[in-house]
Amino acid sequence: MSLSLTIKLHLASSSSSSSQLTLNNHHHANKVITCSNTKIRSKPIYSTTPLITPTWKVRARVKQCGTMIKSSLIEPDGGALVDLVVAESERGAKITEAESLPKVHLKRIDLEWVHVVGEGWASPLKGFMREDEYLQSLHFNSLRVKDGSLVNMSLPIVLAIDDETKGRIGSSSHVGLVAPNGDCVAILRSVEIYKHNKEERIARTWGTTAPGLPYVEEVITPAGNWLIGGDLEVLKPIKYNDGLDNYRFSPKQLREEFDKRKADAVFAFQLRNPVHNGHALLMNDTRKRLLDMGYKNPILLLHPLGGFTKADDVPLDVRMEQHSKVLEDGVLDPATTIVAIFPSPMHYAGPTEVQWHAKARINAGANFYIVGRDPAGMGHPTEKRDLYDPDHGKKVLSMAPGLEKLNILPFRVAAYDTKESKMAFFDPTRAKDFLFISGTKMRAYAKSGENPPEGFMCPSGWKVLVKYYESLQAEEPAQQPVLSS
C-alpha cells in the first residue's frame, strides 16, 4: 500500500496573513490545494517503555464552564467539550442509585463506547443515541444541534439489547450499565428503546452487506434486536488495567497539555499499524511545512487507535512498544510529539469512518489531521480487491457536513529509495529506483525473520515486530486467532 497522505487543515485565526493568503485565498471553504484483533492476552508480551508522560498540573488558557471544557486552540464540536464522568463527591450516591436500577450488561466494545462518549470524543453527543439521533447519523452523517448548525457524526454510537433485557427494563426511565467484570460503570437516563434494523445499519455504514466484515461479525450480528438510547453518566473514569492506561489521555487532558506547551498548531496522525520511516518522513515534513507557514510551535499528536481491531492487526501493546522505540531512536522528536491512545473501536468502514476519526480529533484539540491512502479501509471480505476506492477518504473529508473547519493539503507519495537506502518522496522521473513495501509485505518480512531494506524502520522498532510474530508462530499450533478487542 503506498503512502499517499493528506493533511486536513484548519486555518487558525492566529496564523499569519501570508498563510491565509496561501491556503484560503478563494471563497471555497474546502478547496483542495496541491503541493510539490488482536488476541486477548492476560498481560502484554512486552514491558511497555514510557513514551511521553505529560503533566497535567498547568491549565494555561483553558476556560472551564461546569463540566464543559474550552481550549484556546480550536473549539470542540458544539462549542464546548462534553465531560460525562461524575464528580468524585457525587460518586458514592450515584453508584448506590445505579445498583438499584434495572441492569444492561455490556460487552467489551460497549464499554469502549462508554469510554469514548463519556470523555467527550463524540461531543456534543451526551449518551447512546436515541432514535432521532441515530437516524440523522445513519442517513446524513451529521447531527443538527440546538442552534441549527450541523456537527459531523458519521458513525451511529448505539447500545443494543435483547428481548429479555428489554422486558426487564419495562417502564423504568433509567438503567444501570454493568461492565464485563461486573462493576456498575454508568447510568443511562431518560431511556428510549427502539428497533435495531441490522441490515439497514450495516448497508448504510459499510456500503455492503457482504459476510466477513469484522465489526459486524463481532458486534452487530450477535447483538439484540433493540437499541437503547439515553443520557450517560459515567460513574468513574474507565480503566482497562492493561499497563497502558497512562497513555489513554482524555480530550480534556490533551487540550490542557497543548495549552501548557503553547502549541499554535496540533497535527494528529492516527494509525493502527507500526510506524515506519515513511510515516515519520510525512510527519516530520508536515511539521516543517507548518513552520514555513508561520506557525511557531506545531505539536504532533501520534494517536494510535486502541479499541477493537480485527484479528490480523498488530495488537495495541505491541504497537505501543514499537512506537516507543521510534521515539527513543530519535526518528520522531519527543520534545514536539505526544503519544496517546484513541479509545474508539475500529469499524473498517472507509470514507464513512474516517469522518468520525477526524471529528474526534477536533474535539481533542487538533486543528490539523493527517489522513492516508484508503483510510479506515480493508480488503473486500469476499473478493480480491479493496472494499473502498483508496482516494475516496480524502475526497469525502473535503465535502463532509460539519467538517467545514478543515481543508485538505495533499502530500506526495512516500516509498523506499533504493539509491539512497531510505524512505523518500517518490520521484516519477526515476521510478525504477523506488520500492513500495506494503503492510502485507512488511508482515511477511517480520514473520519470516527477514530484515526489511536498511532505512525502512528503526532497528529497535523492527525487533519488536519480529519478536511478536515469533510469539504468534509458537502459539499457532495450540490456538487459532479470533476476533477480539
Side-chain angles (χ1 to χ4, degrees):
M1 182 177 291
S2 64
L3 297 172
S4 176
L5 296 191
T6 54
I7 292 182
K8 303 204 68 188
L9 302 179
H10 167 65
L11 299 180
S13 58
S14 61
S15 63
S16 66
S17 59
S18 61
S19 298
Q20 293 171 347
L21 287 172
T22 302
L23 293 177
N24 203 18
N25 58 352
H26 297 287
H27 296 294
H28 303 291
N30 293 305
K31 184 167 179 67
V32 176
I33 303 116
T34 303
C35 292
S36 253
N37 257 323
T38 71
K39 294 186 287 187
I40 295 176
R41 292 190 294 277
S42 59
K43 59 181 181 180
I45 293 174
Y46 306 101
S47 59
T48 304
T49 304
L51 305 179
I52 291 181
T53 308
T55 57
W56 312 110
K57 296 179 181 178
V58 181
R59 296 186 177 183
R61 310 196 311 276
V62 176
K63 300 177 183 179
Q64 296 195 40
C65 180
T67 58
M68 312 289 263
I69 308 299
K70 285 189 177 181
S71 169
S72 61
L73 194 58
I74 182 173
E75 280 198 344
D77 279 347
L81 187 65
V82 172
D83 183 356
L84 304 176
V85 180
V86 301
E88 193 167 358
S89 60
E90 302 175 15
R91 195 163 293 162
K94 297 284 188 181
I95 290 174
T96 299
E97 180 189 2
E99 296 290 353
S100 70
L101 296 172
K103 303 296 190 300
V104 173
H105 292 271
L106 306 176
K107 294 184 170 59
R108 164 72 183 228
I109 297 174
D110 298 326
L111 182 64
E112 292 171 357
W113 282 121
V114 171
H115 185 179
V116 166
V117 176
E119 288 188 343
W121 296 98
S123 294
L125 190 68
K126 295 183 179 180
F128 285 105
M129 291 178 175
R130 297 182 175 90
E131 189 173 31
D132 62 339
E133 296 167 320
Y134 170 70
L135 291 174
Q136 289 180 71
S137 173
L138 193 66
H139 292 274
F140 308 135
N141 286 356
S142 60
L143 297 178
R144 191 169 296 280
V145 294
K146 290 181 179 179
D147 66 2
S149 63
L150 289 176
V151 297
N152 192 271
M153 190 67 70
S154 62
L155 290 183
I157 299 179
V158 292
L159 178 60
I161 58 173
D162 56 21
D163 292 349
E164 180 183 350
T165 303
K166 179 177 181 289
R168 193 164 59 243
I169 294 170
S171 60
S172 177
S173 298
H174 317 307
V175 299
L177 304 184
V178 180
N181 67 0
D183 290 346
C184 208
V185 295
I187 296 173
L188 198 63
R189 296 199 180 277
S190 303
V191 299
E192 177 186 338
I193 298 174
Y194 54 100
K195 191 71 176 174
H196 186 191
N197 187 333
K198 298 180 185 181
E199 183 178 23
E200 180 188 28
R201 179 182 172 191
I202 295 165
R204 293 202 65 89
T205 303
W206 283 270
T208 180
T209 56
L213 298 169
Y215 190 91
V216 171
E217 293 199 342
E218 183 75 6
V219 179
I220 299 179
T221 299
N225 294 321
W226 304 95
L227 298 174
I228 182 169
D231 299 324
L232 193 63
E233 290 183 359
V234 182
L235 301 180
K236 58 183 178 181
I238 303 297
K239 302 294 181 185
Y240 299 87
N241 301 312
D242 56 358
L244 300 175
D245 283 330
N246 56 320
Y247 300 125
R248 292 185 173 95
F249 307 140
S250 69
K252 174 184 174 181
Q253 289 173 316
L254 288 169
R255 284 175 170 269
E256 289 173 345
E257 182 64 13
F258 298 148
D259 279 340
K260 176 191 169 186
R261 295 191 182 203
K262 298 181 180 177
D264 57 354
V266 174
F267 57 110
F269 186 78
Q270 171 178 295
L271 68 171
R272 65 176 197 271
N273 292 305
V275 174
H276 56 63
N277 290 348
H279 297 133
L281 171 68
L282 291 158
M283 287 184 271
N284 288 326
D285 187 70
T286 297
R287 188 169 195 277
K288 180 180 181 299
R289 287 171 178 266
L290 293 175
L291 290 169
D292 291 343
M293 288 165 55
Y295 290 94
K296 302 301 183 184
N297 188 30
I299 297 294
L300 166 63
L301 173 60
L302 184 61
H303 214 198
L305 185 136
F308 163 83
T309 55
K310 56 189 176 68
D312 61 350
D313 280 354
V314 177
L316 178 62
D317 63 306
V318 181
R319 285 184 276 134
M320 295 301 288
E321 176 74 3
Q322 193 270 346
H323 297 348
S324 74
K325 300 302 182 185
V326 170
L327 272 79
E328 287 175 12
D329 287 0
V331 178
L332 295 173
D333 183 2
T336 58
T337 303
I338 295 175
V339 182
I341 293 171
F342 178 44
S344 177
M346 188 75 192
H347 280 60
Y348 304 91
T352 298
E353 184 172 16
V354 74
Q355 297 173 63
W356 158 243
H357 294 164
K359 175 243 173 49
R361 277 27 180 263
I362 292 173
N363 285 331
N367 53 348
F368 294 73
Y369 183 71
I370 303 175
V371 58
R373 178 186 182 276
D374 195 22
M378 59 173 282
H380 195 285
T382 61
E383 301 175 18
K384 292 184 177 180
R385 61 177 177 87
D386 289 338
L387 183 55
Y388 305 105
D389 186 299
D391 292 325
H392 280 183
K394 62 186 178 185
K395 291 180 179 179
V396 165
L397 282 175
S398 73
M399 302 178 285
L403 295 181
E404 290 82 7
K405 303 173 186 179
L406 305 173
N407 293 283
I408 296 179
L409 176 64
F411 267 87
R412 293 168 290 167
V413 176
Y416 184 77
D417 188 334
T418 59
K419 293 292 186 183
E420 299 294 332
S421 298
K422 66 178 184 179
M423 297 298 289
F425 291 118
F426 178 69
D427 182 355
T429 65
R430 52 185 190 93
K432 66 180 186 304
D433 295 335
F434 285 86
L435 177 65
F436 290 92
I437 301 174
S438 65
T440 301
K441 182 64 174 175
M442 181 181 70
R443 289 190 291 270
Y445 279 136
K447 287 178 181 178
S448 66
E450 181 183 356
N451 289 326
E454 182 181 357
F456 173 72
M457 183 183 291
C458 67
S460 61
W462 183 252
K463 288 178 182 178
V464 172
L465 296 185
V466 171
K467 186 175 181 180
Y468 164 65
Y469 282 109
E470 286 176 348
S471 74
L472 276 191
Q473 290 172 347
E475 294 175 10
E476 277 175 0
Q479 182 178 351
Q480 292 296 316
V482 294
L483 286 171
S484 171
S485 299

